[in-house]
mmCIF file of all heavy atoms in Angstrom:
data_model
loop_
_atom_site.group_PDB
_atom_site.id
_atom_site.type_symbol
_atom_site.label_atom_id
_atom_site.label_comp_id
_atom_site.label_asym_id
_atom_site.label_seq_id
_atom_site.Cartn_x
_atom_site.Cartn_y
_atom_site.Cartn_z
ATOM 1 N N ALA A 1 -7.186 -2.208 -29.771
ATOM 2 C CA ALA A 1 -6.734 -2.521 -31.241
ATOM 3 C C ALA A 1 -7.554 -3.655 -31.669
ATOM 4 O O ALA A 1 -7.951 -3.638 -32.880
ATOM 5 C CB ALA A 1 -5.222 -2.854 -31.234
ATOM 6 N N GLU A 2 -7.824 -4.604 -30.784
ATOM 7 C CA GLU A 2 -8.750 -5.735 -31.260
ATOM 8 C C GLU A 2 -10.095 -5.249 -31.622
ATOM 9 O O GLU A 2 -10.703 -5.633 -32.605
ATOM 10 C CB GLU A 2 -8.681 -6.881 -30.130
ATOM 11 C CG GLU A 2 -9.477 -8.117 -30.599
ATOM 12 C CD GLU A 2 -9.367 -9.186 -29.501
ATOM 13 O OE1 GLU A 2 -8.564 -8.996 -28.562
ATOM 14 O OE2 GLU A 2 -10.229 -10.064 -29.585
ATOM 15 N N LYS A 3 -10.702 -4.558 -30.674
ATOM 16 C CA LYS A 3 -12.104 -4.016 -30.823
ATOM 17 C C LYS A 3 -12.148 -3.136 -32.062
ATOM 18 O O LYS A 3 -13.160 -3.177 -32.768
ATOM 19 C CB LYS A 3 -12.599 -3.286 -29.603
ATOM 20 C CG LYS A 3 -12.846 -4.234 -28.443
ATOM 21 C CD LYS A 3 -13.399 -3.451 -27.204
ATOM 22 C CE LYS A 3 -13.530 -4.444 -25.994
ATOM 23 N NZ LYS A 3 -14.451 -5.506 -26.256
ATOM 24 N N LEU A 4 -11.317 -2.268 -32.323
ATOM 25 C CA LEU A 4 -11.269 -1.305 -33.432
ATOM 26 C C LEU A 4 -10.801 -1.880 -34.751
ATOM 27 O O LEU A 4 -10.989 -1.311 -35.757
ATOM 28 C CB LEU A 4 -10.487 -0.018 -33.041
ATOM 29 C CG LEU A 4 -11.132 0.768 -31.949
ATOM 30 C CD1 LEU A 4 -9.987 1.968 -31.586
ATOM 31 C CD2 LEU A 4 -12.414 1.366 -32.206
ATOM 32 N N GLN A 5 -10.072 -3.064 -34.569
ATOM 33 C CA GLN A 5 -9.551 -3.737 -35.762
ATOM 34 C C GLN A 5 -8.569 -2.833 -36.444
ATOM 35 O O GLN A 5 -8.660 -2.767 -37.730
ATOM 36 C CB GLN A 5 -10.647 -4.192 -36.723
ATOM 37 C CG GLN A 5 -11.568 -5.282 -36.065
ATOM 38 C CD GLN A 5 -12.505 -5.943 -36.937
ATOM 39 O OE1 GLN A 5 -12.774 -5.427 -38.157
ATOM 40 N NE2 GLN A 5 -13.186 -7.050 -36.610
ATOM 41 N N ILE A 6 -7.699 -2.200 -35.705
ATOM 42 C CA ILE A 6 -6.671 -1.497 -36.342
ATOM 43 C C ILE A 6 -5.272 -1.776 -35.594
ATOM 44 O O ILE A 6 -5.251 -2.362 -34.600
ATOM 45 C CB ILE A 6 -6.884 0.091 -36.005
ATOM 46 C CG1 ILE A 6 -7.019 0.379 -34.541
ATOM 47 C CG2 ILE A 6 -8.110 0.507 -36.807
ATOM 48 C CD1 ILE A 6 -7.097 1.815 -34.187
ATOM 49 N N PRO A 7 -4.109 -1.490 -36.193
ATOM 50 C CA PRO A 7 -2.890 -1.741 -35.708
ATOM 51 C C PRO A 7 -2.714 -0.932 -34.337
ATOM 52 O O PRO A 7 -3.199 0.237 -34.149
ATOM 53 C CB PRO A 7 -1.845 -1.246 -36.712
ATOM 54 C CG PRO A 7 -2.553 -1.316 -37.985
ATOM 55 C CD PRO A 7 -4.022 -0.928 -37.701
ATOM 56 N N LYS A 8 -2.072 -1.554 -33.340
ATOM 57 C CA LYS A 8 -1.937 -0.987 -32.054
ATOM 58 C C LYS A 8 -1.224 0.307 -32.044
ATOM 59 O O LYS A 8 -1.603 1.318 -31.299
ATOM 60 C CB LYS A 8 -1.176 -1.984 -31.121
ATOM 61 C CG LYS A 8 -0.940 -1.509 -29.624
ATOM 62 C CD LYS A 8 -0.089 -2.684 -29.041
ATOM 63 C CE LYS A 8 0.274 -2.216 -27.624
ATOM 64 N NZ LYS A 8 1.131 -3.307 -26.851
ATOM 65 N N ALA A 9 -0.290 0.520 -32.979
ATOM 66 C CA ALA A 9 0.532 1.816 -33.063
ATOM 67 C C ALA A 9 -0.411 3.007 -33.467
ATOM 68 O O ALA A 9 -0.015 4.162 -33.149
ATOM 69 C CB ALA A 9 1.610 1.631 -34.086
ATOM 70 N N GLU A 10 -1.482 2.749 -34.211
ATOM 71 C CA GLU A 10 -2.314 3.827 -34.755
ATOM 72 C C GLU A 10 -3.090 4.495 -33.543
ATOM 73 O O GLU A 10 -3.495 5.672 -33.678
ATOM 74 C CB GLU A 10 -3.270 3.305 -35.805
ATOM 75 C CG GLU A 10 -2.648 2.980 -37.072
ATOM 76 C CD GLU A 10 -3.608 2.634 -38.224
ATOM 77 O OE1 GLU A 10 -4.869 2.969 -38.052
ATOM 78 O OE2 GLU A 10 -3.249 1.999 -39.159
ATOM 79 N N ILE A 11 -3.398 3.905 -32.521
ATOM 80 C CA ILE A 11 -4.229 4.287 -31.432
ATOM 81 C C ILE A 11 -3.597 5.654 -30.880
ATOM 82 O O ILE A 11 -4.371 6.600 -30.583
ATOM 83 C CB ILE A 11 -4.381 3.227 -30.301
ATOM 84 C CG1 ILE A 11 -5.141 2.105 -30.843
ATOM 85 C CG2 ILE A 11 -5.127 3.812 -29.165
ATOM 86 C CD1 ILE A 11 -5.230 0.879 -29.922
ATOM 87 N N SER A 12 -2.297 5.672 -30.843
ATOM 88 C CA SER A 12 -1.736 6.861 -30.192
ATOM 89 C C SER A 12 -1.708 8.100 -31.145
ATOM 90 O O SER A 12 -1.321 9.136 -30.729
ATOM 91 C CB SER A 12 -0.194 6.551 -29.880
ATOM 92 O OG SER A 12 0.467 6.229 -31.039
ATOM 93 N N THR A 13 -2.301 7.988 -32.343
ATOM 94 C CA THR A 13 -2.401 9.121 -33.219
ATOM 95 C C THR A 13 -3.801 9.583 -33.531
ATOM 96 O O THR A 13 -3.996 10.610 -34.367
ATOM 97 C CB THR A 13 -1.760 8.760 -34.519
ATOM 98 O OG1 THR A 13 -2.438 7.702 -35.310
ATOM 99 C CG2 THR A 13 -0.331 8.260 -34.488
ATOM 100 N N MET A 14 -4.797 8.975 -32.846
ATOM 101 C CA MET A 14 -6.162 9.184 -33.331
ATOM 102 C C MET A 14 -6.984 10.106 -32.405
ATOM 103 O O MET A 14 -8.119 10.422 -32.764
ATOM 104 C CB MET A 14 -6.956 7.819 -33.272
ATOM 105 C CG MET A 14 -6.361 6.751 -34.334
ATOM 106 S SD MET A 14 -7.096 5.190 -34.245
ATOM 107 C CE MET A 14 -8.789 5.424 -34.584
ATOM 108 N N GLY A 15 -6.348 10.643 -31.354
ATOM 109 C CA GLY A 15 -7.022 11.570 -30.456
ATOM 110 C C GLY A 15 -8.287 10.920 -29.755
ATOM 111 O O GLY A 15 -9.262 11.658 -29.498
ATOM 112 N N LEU A 16 -8.163 9.762 -29.370
ATOM 113 C CA LEU A 16 -9.159 8.986 -28.700
ATOM 114 C C LEU A 16 -9.260 9.282 -27.209
ATOM 115 O O LEU A 16 -8.194 9.768 -26.632
ATOM 116 C CB LEU A 16 -9.096 7.487 -28.882
ATOM 117 C CG LEU A 16 -9.048 6.920 -30.174
ATOM 118 C CD1 LEU A 16 -8.765 5.496 -30.262
ATOM 119 C CD2 LEU A 16 -10.314 7.296 -31.001
ATOM 120 N N ARG A 17 -10.245 9.049 -26.580
ATOM 121 C CA ARG A 17 -10.446 9.176 -25.083
ATOM 122 C C ARG A 17 -10.889 7.731 -24.579
ATOM 123 O O ARG A 17 -11.992 7.432 -24.843
ATOM 124 C CB ARG A 17 -11.398 10.217 -24.695
ATOM 125 C CG ARG A 17 -11.534 10.285 -23.085
ATOM 126 C CD ARG A 17 -12.573 11.368 -22.667
ATOM 127 N NE ARG A 17 -12.743 11.388 -21.290
ATOM 128 C CZ ARG A 17 -12.077 12.054 -20.347
ATOM 129 N NH1 ARG A 17 -10.992 12.692 -20.793
ATOM 130 N NH2 ARG A 17 -12.323 11.983 -19.072
ATOM 131 N N ILE A 18 -9.948 6.903 -24.036
ATOM 132 C CA ILE A 18 -10.266 5.615 -23.601
ATOM 133 C C ILE A 18 -10.545 5.561 -22.205
ATOM 134 O O ILE A 18 -9.667 5.870 -21.394
ATOM 135 C CB ILE A 18 -9.009 4.720 -24.016
ATOM 136 C CG1 ILE A 18 -8.642 4.819 -25.436
ATOM 137 C CG2 ILE A 18 -9.307 3.287 -23.592
ATOM 138 C CD1 ILE A 18 -7.465 4.016 -25.935
ATOM 139 N N GLU A 19 -11.777 5.249 -21.824
ATOM 140 C CA GLU A 19 -12.171 5.132 -20.486
ATOM 141 C C GLU A 19 -12.062 3.777 -19.963
ATOM 142 O O GLU A 19 -12.586 2.791 -20.576
ATOM 143 C CB GLU A 19 -13.630 5.614 -20.347
ATOM 144 C CG GLU A 19 -13.871 7.114 -20.783
ATOM 145 C CD GLU A 19 -15.339 7.507 -20.529
ATOM 146 O OE1 GLU A 19 -16.157 6.737 -20.293
ATOM 147 O OE2 GLU A 19 -15.580 8.729 -20.735
ATOM 148 N N THR A 20 -11.425 3.564 -18.831
ATOM 149 C CA THR A 20 -11.153 2.170 -18.285
ATOM 150 C C THR A 20 -11.738 2.069 -16.890
ATOM 151 O O THR A 20 -12.334 2.898 -16.230
ATOM 152 C CB THR A 20 -9.651 1.984 -18.139
ATOM 153 O OG1 THR A 20 -9.103 2.747 -17.132
ATOM 154 C CG2 THR A 20 -8.938 2.413 -19.464
ATOM 155 N N THR A 21 -11.651 0.780 -16.369
ATOM 156 C CA THR A 21 -12.239 0.576 -15.042
ATOM 157 C C THR A 21 -11.148 0.634 -13.920
ATOM 158 O O THR A 21 -11.414 0.327 -12.683
ATOM 159 C CB THR A 21 -12.756 -0.955 -15.080
ATOM 160 O OG1 THR A 21 -11.726 -1.886 -15.323
ATOM 161 C CG2 THR A 21 -13.832 -1.087 -16.044
ATOM 162 N N LEU A 22 -9.916 0.973 -14.332
ATOM 163 C CA LEU A 22 -8.818 1.038 -13.301
ATOM 164 C C LEU A 22 -9.074 2.018 -12.231
ATOM 165 O O LEU A 22 -9.528 3.072 -12.610
ATOM 166 C CB LEU A 22 -7.482 1.420 -14.016
ATOM 167 C CG LEU A 22 -6.301 1.228 -13.156
ATOM 168 C CD1 LEU A 22 -5.781 -0.228 -13.083
ATOM 169 C CD2 LEU A 22 -5.114 2.106 -13.736
ATOM 170 N N SER A 23 -8.814 1.688 -10.970
ATOM 171 C CA SER A 23 -8.853 2.589 -9.862
ATOM 172 C C SER A 23 -7.321 2.884 -9.504
ATOM 173 O O SER A 23 -6.639 1.955 -9.081
ATOM 174 C CB SER A 23 -9.514 1.921 -8.706
ATOM 175 O OG SER A 23 -9.318 2.766 -7.456
ATOM 176 N N LEU A 24 -6.985 4.142 -9.683
ATOM 177 C CA LEU A 24 -5.508 4.542 -9.338
ATOM 178 C C LEU A 24 -5.199 4.185 -7.882
ATOM 179 O O LEU A 24 -4.019 3.745 -7.657
ATOM 180 C CB LEU A 24 -5.249 5.984 -9.780
ATOM 181 C CG LEU A 24 -5.187 6.219 -11.361
ATOM 182 C CD1 LEU A 24 -5.044 7.730 -11.555
ATOM 183 C CD2 LEU A 24 -3.955 5.534 -11.893
ATOM 184 N N PRO A 25 -5.945 4.523 -6.859
ATOM 185 C CA PRO A 25 -5.595 4.163 -5.488
ATOM 186 C C PRO A 25 -5.445 2.693 -5.308
ATOM 187 O O PRO A 25 -4.417 2.283 -4.645
ATOM 188 C CB PRO A 25 -6.735 4.745 -4.694
ATOM 189 C CG PRO A 25 -7.318 5.793 -5.501
ATOM 190 C CD PRO A 25 -7.143 5.307 -6.919
ATOM 191 N N VAL A 26 -6.313 1.768 -5.997
ATOM 192 C CA VAL A 26 -6.082 0.414 -5.783
ATOM 193 C C VAL A 26 -4.924 -0.124 -6.655
ATOM 194 O O VAL A 26 -4.223 -0.966 -6.140
ATOM 195 C CB VAL A 26 -7.415 -0.330 -6.379
ATOM 196 C CG1 VAL A 26 -7.214 -1.820 -6.304
ATOM 197 C CG2 VAL A 26 -8.642 0.126 -5.539
ATOM 198 N N GLN A 27 -4.697 0.555 -7.764
ATOM 199 C CA GLN A 27 -3.493 0.234 -8.535
ATOM 200 C C GLN A 27 -2.244 0.489 -7.778
ATOM 201 O O GLN A 27 -1.260 -0.375 -7.653
ATOM 202 C CB GLN A 27 -3.432 0.954 -9.803
ATOM 203 C CG GLN A 27 -2.175 0.822 -10.729
ATOM 204 C CD GLN A 27 -2.099 -0.616 -11.252
ATOM 205 O OE1 GLN A 27 -3.143 -1.321 -11.487
ATOM 206 N NE2 GLN A 27 -0.807 -1.124 -11.613
ATOM 207 N N GLN A 28 -2.086 1.686 -7.153
ATOM 208 C CA GLN A 28 -1.027 1.995 -6.282
ATOM 209 C C GLN A 28 -0.762 1.079 -5.203
ATOM 210 O O GLN A 28 0.448 0.650 -4.856
ATOM 211 C CB GLN A 28 -1.073 3.438 -5.823
ATOM 212 C CG GLN A 28 0.094 3.986 -5.112
ATOM 213 C CD GLN A 28 0.004 5.476 -4.619
ATOM 214 O OE1 GLN A 28 -0.997 6.061 -4.823
ATOM 215 N NE2 GLN A 28 0.960 5.858 -3.841
ATOM 216 N N ALA A 29 -1.868 0.703 -4.470
ATOM 217 C CA ALA A 29 -1.776 -0.163 -3.430
ATOM 218 C C ALA A 29 -1.262 -1.613 -3.818
ATOM 219 O O ALA A 29 -0.413 -2.293 -3.191
ATOM 220 C CB ALA A 29 -3.125 -0.376 -2.721
ATOM 221 N N ALA A 30 -1.650 -2.065 -5.060
ATOM 222 C CA ALA A 30 -1.318 -3.329 -5.528
ATOM 223 C C ALA A 30 0.168 -3.336 -5.840
ATOM 224 O O ALA A 30 0.860 -4.264 -5.674
ATOM 225 C CB ALA A 30 -2.168 -3.658 -6.849
ATOM 226 N N GLU A 31 0.654 -2.244 -6.438
ATOM 227 C CA GLU A 31 2.119 -2.214 -6.821
ATOM 228 C C GLU A 31 2.885 -2.205 -5.524
ATOM 229 O O GLU A 31 3.958 -2.816 -5.423
ATOM 230 C CB GLU A 31 2.336 -0.921 -7.670
ATOM 231 C CG GLU A 31 1.752 -1.011 -9.074
ATOM 232 C CD GLU A 31 1.905 0.382 -9.740
ATOM 233 O OE1 GLU A 31 2.460 1.293 -9.244
ATOM 234 O OE2 GLU A 31 1.460 0.447 -10.959
ATOM 235 N N GLU A 32 2.530 -1.436 -4.541
ATOM 236 C CA GLU A 32 3.214 -1.431 -3.188
ATOM 237 C C GLU A 32 3.223 -2.770 -2.574
ATOM 238 O O GLU A 32 4.206 -3.246 -2.028
ATOM 239 C CB GLU A 32 2.689 -0.402 -2.339
ATOM 240 C CG GLU A 32 2.904 1.083 -2.806
ATOM 241 C CD GLU A 32 2.206 2.127 -1.981
ATOM 242 O OE1 GLU A 32 1.423 1.719 -1.046
ATOM 243 O OE2 GLU A 32 2.283 3.370 -2.258
ATOM 244 N N VAL A 33 2.084 -3.487 -2.567
ATOM 245 C CA VAL A 33 1.915 -4.838 -1.908
ATOM 246 C C VAL A 33 2.882 -5.818 -2.577
ATOM 247 O O VAL A 33 3.524 -6.565 -1.949
ATOM 248 C CB VAL A 33 0.427 -5.299 -1.915
ATOM 249 C CG1 VAL A 33 0.468 -6.775 -1.594
ATOM 250 C CG2 VAL A 33 -0.365 -4.537 -1.001
ATOM 251 N N LEU A 34 2.881 -5.747 -3.879
ATOM 252 C CA LEU A 34 3.812 -6.689 -4.629
ATOM 253 C C LEU A 34 5.259 -6.436 -4.383
ATOM 254 O O LEU A 34 5.980 -7.373 -4.129
ATOM 255 C CB LEU A 34 3.534 -6.673 -6.132
ATOM 256 C CG LEU A 34 4.118 -7.679 -7.002
ATOM 257 C CD1 LEU A 34 3.691 -9.063 -6.578
ATOM 258 C CD2 LEU A 34 3.984 -7.362 -8.456
ATOM 259 N N ALA A 35 5.631 -5.137 -4.365
ATOM 260 C CA ALA A 35 7.048 -4.783 -4.132
ATOM 261 C C ALA A 35 7.399 -5.094 -2.745
ATOM 262 O O ALA A 35 8.499 -5.678 -2.428
ATOM 263 C CB ALA A 35 7.274 -3.299 -4.427
ATOM 264 N N THR A 36 6.565 -4.794 -1.765
ATOM 265 C CA THR A 36 6.846 -5.112 -0.354
ATOM 266 C C THR A 36 6.889 -6.604 -0.045
ATOM 267 O O THR A 36 7.792 -7.086 0.680
ATOM 268 C CB THR A 36 5.830 -4.486 0.609
ATOM 269 O OG1 THR A 36 5.724 -3.029 0.256
ATOM 270 C CG2 THR A 36 6.207 -4.593 2.016
ATOM 271 N N GLY A 37 5.883 -7.332 -0.610
ATOM 272 C CA GLY A 37 5.927 -8.796 -0.328
ATOM 273 C C GLY A 37 7.131 -9.567 -0.964
ATOM 274 O O GLY A 37 7.466 -10.509 -0.379
ATOM 275 N N LEU A 38 7.590 -9.045 -1.970
ATOM 276 C CA LEU A 38 8.782 -9.801 -2.645
ATOM 277 C C LEU A 38 10.129 -9.236 -2.128
ATOM 278 O O LEU A 38 11.156 -9.897 -2.321
ATOM 279 C CB LEU A 38 8.711 -9.572 -4.186
ATOM 280 C CG LEU A 38 7.572 -10.242 -4.886
ATOM 281 C CD1 LEU A 38 7.520 -9.913 -6.366
ATOM 282 C CD2 LEU A 38 7.677 -11.761 -4.721
ATOM 283 N N HIS A 39 10.155 -8.166 -1.409
ATOM 284 C CA HIS A 39 11.387 -7.581 -0.977
ATOM 285 C C HIS A 39 12.196 -8.538 -0.196
ATOM 286 O O HIS A 39 13.487 -8.613 -0.339
ATOM 287 C CB HIS A 39 11.140 -6.282 -0.253
ATOM 288 C CG HIS A 39 12.403 -5.570 0.279
ATOM 289 N ND1 HIS A 39 13.213 -4.959 -0.714
ATOM 290 C CD2 HIS A 39 12.905 -5.487 1.510
ATOM 291 C CE1 HIS A 39 14.277 -4.485 0.049
ATOM 292 N NE2 HIS A 39 14.086 -4.761 1.326
ATOM 293 N N PRO A 40 11.701 -9.295 0.800
ATOM 294 C CA PRO A 40 12.464 -10.176 1.662
ATOM 295 C C PRO A 40 13.256 -11.290 0.832
ATOM 296 O O PRO A 40 14.197 -11.918 1.334
ATOM 297 C CB PRO A 40 11.470 -10.769 2.684
ATOM 298 C CG PRO A 40 10.354 -9.796 2.676
ATOM 299 C CD PRO A 40 10.274 -9.333 1.274
ATOM 300 N N TYR A 41 12.673 -11.551 -0.338
ATOM 301 C CA TYR A 41 13.316 -12.611 -1.154
ATOM 302 C C TYR A 41 14.381 -12.192 -2.125
ATOM 303 O O TYR A 41 14.766 -13.011 -3.001
ATOM 304 C CB TYR A 41 12.176 -13.339 -1.948
ATOM 305 C CG TYR A 41 11.008 -13.896 -0.977
ATOM 306 C CD1 TYR A 41 9.939 -13.120 -0.816
ATOM 307 C CD2 TYR A 41 11.278 -15.060 -0.229
ATOM 308 C CE1 TYR A 41 8.907 -13.659 0.112
ATOM 309 C CE2 TYR A 41 10.332 -15.508 0.721
ATOM 310 C CZ TYR A 41 9.137 -14.839 0.757
ATOM 311 O OH TYR A 41 8.151 -15.220 1.659
#
């Protein structure tokens, strides 16, 4: 929204393809590590 200078809500109606740097395996591992690490507390 900041780069395109448009309201955030408009992005979901524009038919864009947004390519990101996220790695889904790394993301899944990060979520599991956080959940497991906080579980004892």
Side-chain angles (χ1 to χ4, degrees):
E2 182 179 346
K3 290 183 180 297
L4 297 174
Q5 296 187 348
I6 59 174
K8 183 177 173 181
E10 288 186 16
I11 295 175
S12 61
T13 67
M14 298 173 64
L16 304 176
R17 180 180 174 86
I18 302 176
E19 299 181 355
T20 73
T21 60
L22 187 80
S23 168
L24 285 175
V26 177
Q27 175 68 25
Q28 183 178 356
E31 292 174 0
E32 291 175 356
V33 164
L34 188 64
T36 304
L38 292 176
H39 182 72
Y41 304 100

